[in-house]
Amino acid sequence: MLDKRKLYINGEWVDPIEAKDLEVLNPATEQPIAVISMGTAADIDRAVAAAKKAFATYSQISVEDRLALLEKLLSIYKRRYDEMAATITMELGAPATMAREQQADVGVGHLQCFIDALKRLKTRDRLPNGDVMLREPIGVCGLITPWNWPINQIALKVVPALATGCTCVLKPSEFTPLNAMLYAEMIHEAGFPAGVFNLVNGDGINAGAALSRHKDIDMMSFTGSTRAGIAVSKEAAETVKRVTLELGGKSPNIVFADADLEERVTGSILECFNNSGQSCDAPTRMLVEREVYDKVVQIARRVGAEAKVGDPTKEGSHIGPLVSHIQYGHVQVLIEAGIAEGAKLLVGGVGKPEGFETGYFVKPTIFADVDNTMRIAREEVFGPVLAIIPFDTEEEAIRIANDTNYGLAAYVQTGDPKRAERVAARLRAGMVHINGGPHRYGSPFGGYKQSGNGREGGLFGLEDFLEVKAVHVPDAA
């Protein structure tokens, strides 16, 4: 078992002020793989002090120097790429192929796009009225990241902070801390000055809350549940710091009769099941035009039955376990609710798949004949569970799609480009995917309503970490 009890503060791996150990479990075996320290408010104080001191000088270094550091980090990440993928498989349960091709890849893709965006960023501009506008680093940033796409969210927060001249304190999820600690090793090797990046492990109630409340934190960037995002916002309010949030989702996927049903329904289900369904933007509500509803249900039953659960250390397209017993229990409750509320169970259901009694594995599950008032249509399941809902008209589809507290992503499947554009414009979501269009590096990621505020990725992600200063110059002679 790995001993990972130290915290990374002011350029060094240090012991926590108070020893509070936590075992990190492999979700496929339920066995401990590492022990970490659960940081306290005192550890957060020490990390914030280091970041505040470092900001005085790091915020003044040139863009060229920051770019050189980021390029070095990119080179190191590529060299340790396989190590990152293996770490995510071990602590998250992401299958080896998926961990290598998706989970680890984001560390390259986002970093490269931030480098490219920084080269385009204008930090000084002349306004039409003659005044000067400056974009400056906001200050010391508190970053709280989730377990489901761990290095993805770390890269989307840490990299723009470092790129813009901010300093930061990262609190990763205590369920998947090892990839964050590996990333800290890479940042250290890249030569970022002491105190610019700090890492304190811990839970949300203690370390996370201490970060959100801290008077010397200028900005909080949080990704996680809507419930926790509300808590962060409340804790940050007393010091009127900037807060950006990337929260939950219950993304609608509108399937019109003129879509390529075999291709798009199959692709949509596989996307819903990807990462064991643990994605905030997963297309978990499939809205199907009634004229092709029966055919779509047949396709869904077949694709769902063919979905395989397997050992995450093995290569392949199978589904791995959920991250923890807590998440497993949550998913089971909502599958039971779907059955109790009268949805038609096509495949899957409660309990573990045959042969997987150990580990937090769940059955890939699809419900048909779902009403949008049911819990499985309104609550974020965060597991491989799909709800299929019929509709009769385009107007009804849009109404059902928007009838949610969330607004992160939406999906449209149609053979009519004009309809795709028309419907996309009316969906209350931060991102709309048409006919399988993927999210690309550099595009803004974020949502409407209770899915959060702010945007991550590329130039948009840099802007969240910048303050705008107007410099009023004398009138020209």
Side-chain angles (χ1 to χ4, degrees):
M1 187 164 63
L2 300 173
D3 186 340
K4 293 289 186 177
R5 290 182 174 94
K6 292 187 181 292
L7 313 175
Y8 186 74
I9 298 175
N10 202 30
E12 298 179 315
W13 291 99
V14 300
D15 292 323
I17 292 175
E18 182 181 352
K20 290 186 176 182
D21 291 353
L22 177 73
E23 288 185 338
V24 179
L25 303 183
N26 181 323
T29 65
E30 301 181 43
Q31 294 301 306
I33 52 177
V35 58
I36 63 169
S37 294
M38 296 293 277
T40 63
D43 297 304
I44 292 293
D45 283 343
R46 186 165 45 153
V48 173
K52 182 178 180 181
K53 181 180 179 182
F55 180 73
T57 51
Y58 184 71
S59 61
Q60 301 304 308
I61 74 170
S62 68
V63 171
E64 290 72 25
D65 286 343
R66 279 181 263 138
L67 282 168
L69 289 167
L70 294 172
E71 293 281 8
K72 183 70 179 299
L73 177 60
L74 180 59
S75 174
I76 294 166
Y77 188 97
K78 289 179 177 178
R79 172 165 53 81
R80 303 188 71 175
Y81 186 98
D82 290 342
E83 189 178 352
M84 179 61 76
T87 298
I88 294 173
T89 291
M90 179 172 60
E91 63 182 343
L92 176 62
T97 303
M98 187 264 181
R100 185 179 63 255
E101 295 179 356
Q102 298 180 50
Q103 289 276 1
D105 185 69
V106 298
V108 173
H110 288 313
L111 181 46
Q112 184 61 64
C113 272
F114 279 127
I115 289 171
D116 296 341
L118 184 58
K119 292 176 180 177
R120 302 194 312 270
L121 180 68
K122 295 179 66 175
T123 57
R124 180 185 177 91
D125 203 3
R126 178 76 67 171
L127 299 177
N129 64 7
D131 283 344
V132 174
M133 185 181 72
L134 305 179
R135 290 183 175 87
E136 300 178 341
I138 194 169
V140 181
C141 303
L143 315 175
I144 301 179
T145 54
W147 46 260
N148 62 316
W149 285 87
I151 203 63
N152 180 71
Q153 296 305 134
I154 289 171
L156 283 170
K157 298 182 191 302
V158 171
V159 177
L162 301 181
T164 54
C166 297
T167 58
C168 61
V169 178
L170 169 67
K171 191 212 80 66
S173 169
E174 65 272 28
F175 292 106
T176 56
L178 304 182
N179 70 94
M181 300 181 83
L182 176 57
Y183 204 63
E185 292 176 13
M186 298 180 190
I187 290 173
H188 182 85
E189 184 181 347
F192 283 87
V196 168
F197 168 83
N198 306 272
L199 184 151
V200 177
N201 284 316
D203 58 24
I205 295 175
N206 296 293
L211 198 57
S212 301
R213 290 193 301 261
H214 206 288
K215 65 180 178 61
D216 290 329
I217 290 288
D218 300 293
M219 171 183 170
M220 284 298 301
S221 178
F222 171 85
T223 297
S225 70
T226 297
R227 175 193 55 78
I230 292 170
V232 168
S233 298
K234 290 180 176 179
E235 290 154 358
E238 290 186 9
T239 49
V240 199
K241 53 174 62 76
R242 182 180 297 175
V243 177
T244 63
L245 305 170
E246 197 274 281
L247 308 175
K250 196 66 185 176
S251 301
N253 179 17
I254 304 175
V255 180
F256 289 101
D258 61 359
D260 184 334
L261 297 180
E262 190 66 45
E263 176 187 307
R264 295 312 319 135
V265 172
T266 299
S268 295
I269 294 171
L270 296 179
E271 186 163 4
C272 178
F273 289 173
N274 189 43
N275 201 35
S276 302
Q278 299 171 130
S279 299
C280 50
D281 61 340
T284 53
R285 286 189 299 148
M286 182 179 286
L287 282 51
V288 179
E289 193 165 8
R290 199 174 299 275
E291 142 183 9
V292 293
Y293 184 78
D294 290 342
K295 183 175 182 180
V296 168
V297 167
Q298 290 176 0
I299 296 171
R301 181 184 282 111
R302 188 195 75 241
V303 175
E306 291 173 351
K308 303 298 182 184
V309 173
D311 181 348
T313 64
K314 305 298 184 183
E315 298 287 344
S317 59
H318 53 276
I319 298 171
L322 299 179
V323 73
S324 68
H325 73 283
I326 297 172
Q327 191 60 27
Y328 175 84
H330 171 75
V331 171
Q332 294 302 306
V333 165
L334 286 172
I335 292 175
E336 290 171 355
I339 295 170
E341 289 182 312
K344 182 179 180 180
L345 184 65
L346 296 183
V347 295
V350 297
K352 296 183 178 182
E354 185 177 350
F356 291 90
E357 288 72 25
T358 299
Y360 309 123
F361 296 92
V362 298
K363 298 175 183 177
T365 299
I366 301 177
F367 287 101
D369 300 348
V370 175
D371 184 277
N372 204 49
T373 61
M374 294 179 180
R375 288 183 66 188
I376 54 170
R378 304 208 69 81
E379 298 182 29
E380 188 173 39
V381 181
F382 232 57
V385 179
L386 174 66
I388 304 179
I389 303 170
F391 70 86
D392 290 301
T393 66
E394 180 180 309
E395 194 67 27
E396 184 187 15
I398 294 169
R399 179 185 61 76
I400 296 172
N402 288 336
D403 181 19
T404 173
N405 293 330
Y406 299 108
L408 186 56
Y411 301 73
V412 179
Q413 321 298 337
T414 178
D416 183 346
K418 290 185 178 179
R419 169 188 271 166
E421 185 174 345
R422 181 174 67 244
V423 172
R426 296 186 61 193
L427 295 175
R428 298 284 295 163
M431 302 170 287
V432 180
H433 302 262
I434 296 173
N435 292 333
H439 184 86
R440 298 175 177 88
Y441 294 125
S443 293
F445 190 100
Y448 291 12
K449 298 188 281 186
Q450 291 186 26
S451 287
N453 55 66
R455 293 295 182 271
E456 295 183 318
L459 188 61
F460 304 92
L462 295 179
E463 289 175 348
D464 271 354
F465 288 81
L466 294 168
E467 286 280 22
V468 173
K469 177 183 288 182
V471 179
H472 303 291
V473 297
D475 291 332

